[in-house]
Amino acid sequence: MDMQNRVGSKFGGGGVMNDGHSARDRKERLRQLAMETIDLAKDPYFMRNHLGTYECKLCLTLHTNEGSYMAHTQAKKHQTNLRRRAKEDEDKQKALNVMNQAKEMQYGRQIKQARVKIGRPGYSLTKSLDATGAKCLSFAINYPEIKEGIVPRYRFMSSFEQRVEAPDKNNIFLLFAAEPYETIAFKIPNKPMDKSEGRFVTSWVDGVFNLTLFYLVESPEDGEEGAIVAPKMN
Ligand SMILES: [Zn+2]
C-alpha cells in the first residue's frame, strides 16, 4: 500500500484520494508499465492453465487476467523470487564449472600419460615359401618392457583406412599395438589368406609376440612379391 496517499497523510497536498482509488491507480500504473516492457511470450514463468486463468510458475500464484499477472511480475514477491532463482542458477553454474574443470584436468592427465611412449618395438620379419609354394610371412615383435597384464593386439587395416600414404587396393596394413610401445604397421599384399587351421597362428611368449600367416597359393602370373615396410603410424 502506498502510505503517502493515505487519507489524512500530511503529504497528501493536492486533494485527497481514498485507499481504493489509489490502490487501483497504482495497480493500473504497474500494469501499464509491465505491458510496455514485458513480452509474455518470452516469459518462462507465465502460464495459461486449463481453467483459462494464469499462473506464475515461479511464485505459484494464480491470476485472473494477463494484466494481473503483469502487475505481479513487478511486485516485490516476484522480484525477490527472480533474484533467488538467479542466485540458484548462478550457484549451479559455478558448481558445474568446477566439475568440468576437474574433468578437464583429469582428461589432460590421461592424455599426457598416454603420450609417454617408449618408442617402436624391435621386430623381425621372415618371408618364406612352404612345400606347396604358399607364401608365408612370420612376424616377431619384441615387447620386453610391456605393461604388466597387457597382451599385444594386432589388426588388419585397409589401405583406405590409414592416413599415412595414398590408398592402394593392392596392399593392406597389419598393425601391432602394445602399451607403452608405439603402434607399428607392416604393409603387406592384399591377397587371399589361408584361414585353415595352423595357417594363421599367433603366440605371446617371453615378451615376444609372433604372428605367422600364409597366403593361398596363386597362379604364377600374379605371384609377385609385395613390398613390406614398417611405416610410422602415430
Ligand atoms: Zn511470480
Side-chain angles (χ1 to χ4, degrees):
M1 189 181 288
D2 188 346
M3 297 302 283
Q4 283 190 18
N5 290 331
R6 286 187 65 146
V7 174
S9 161
K10 61 179 174 178
F11 300 109
V16 178
M17 281 183 180
N18 66 45
D19 277 0
H21 203 145
S22 73
R24 267 204 311 280
D25 195 47
R26 185 167 177 278
K27 228 176 174 176
E28 177 59 20
R29 279 205 316 274
L30 288 174
R31 195 181 71 82
Q32 288 293 346
L33 181 69
M35 290 284 211
E36 284 162 18
T37 54
I38 296 170
D39 182 355
L40 283 180
K42 289 181 189 152
D43 185 339
Y45 304 120
F46 177 69
M47 188 185 82
R48 192 189 165 103
N49 63 28
H50 65 286
L51 298 170
T53 56
Y54 305 91
E55 288 176 23
C56 173
K57 287 197 280 183
L58 181 63
C59 312
L60 305 176
T61 49
L62 271 174
H63 306 277
T64 50
N65 54 53
E66 292 183 354
S68 161
Y69 173 82
M70 284 175 163
H72 163 75
T73 64
Q74 303 302 302
K76 191 179 171 192
K77 178 178 184 174
H78 188 81
Q79 294 290 325
T80 303
N81 283 338
L82 273 182
R83 274 193 296 276
R84 184 177 49 77
R85 177 61 66 90
K87 177 79 169 57
E88 282 170 6
D89 288 350
E90 193 184 322
D91 290 350
K92 262 187 222 159
Q93 192 55 52
K94 269 184 197 161
L96 211 65
N97 288 345
V98 170
M99 255 169 57
N100 286 339
Q101 223 167 15
K103 259 192 212 157
E104 247 167 55
M105 282 170 66
Q106 196 188 7
Y107 187 62
R109 256 203 311 280
Q110 279 172 357
I111 294 276
K112 218 173 172 184
Q113 273 174 2
R115 281 191 182 149
V116 178
K117 297 270 189 185
I118 60 175
R120 285 190 199 180
Y123 65 90
S124 66
L125 169 54
T126 309
K127 292 181 260 181
S128 58
L129 291 176
D130 74 357
T132 69
K135 207 179 293 171
C136 170
L137 298 179
S138 188
F139 302 84
I141 323 291
N142 303 315
Y143 292 118
E145 310 283 330
I146 193 169
K147 276 188 190 165
E148 215 183 314
I150 296 225
V151 176
R153 289 168 297 131
Y154 72 90
R155 87 167 175 104
F156 293 99
M157 182 184 269
S158 86
S159 178
F160 299 91
E161 268 182 276
Q162 54 88 31
R163 298 270 176 277
V164 178
E165 46 186 69
D168 175 359
K169 66 177 169 50
N170 293 315
N171 297 304
I172 55 170
F173 290 85
L174 175 54
L175 279 64
F176 293 95
E179 289 291 331
Y181 289 91
E182 277 181 29
T183 297
I184 57 169
F186 296 83
K187 184 158 73 179
I188 61 175
N190 185 20
K191 291 187 174 162
M193 288 173 199
D194 194 342
K195 303 282 171 60
S196 59
E197 203 177 337
R199 305 292 274 177
F200 189 99
V201 184
T202 63
S203 68
W204 171 229
V205 181
D206 291 337
V208 180
F209 186 77
N210 274 284
L211 187 152
T212 297
L213 64 87
F214 287 84
Y215 285 98
L216 291 172
V217 181
E218 295 167 279
S219 50
E221 60 267 26
D222 56 18
E224 292 164 45
E225 191 74 1
I228 294 162
V229 295
K232 189 169 158 55
M233 295 301 287
N234 51 358

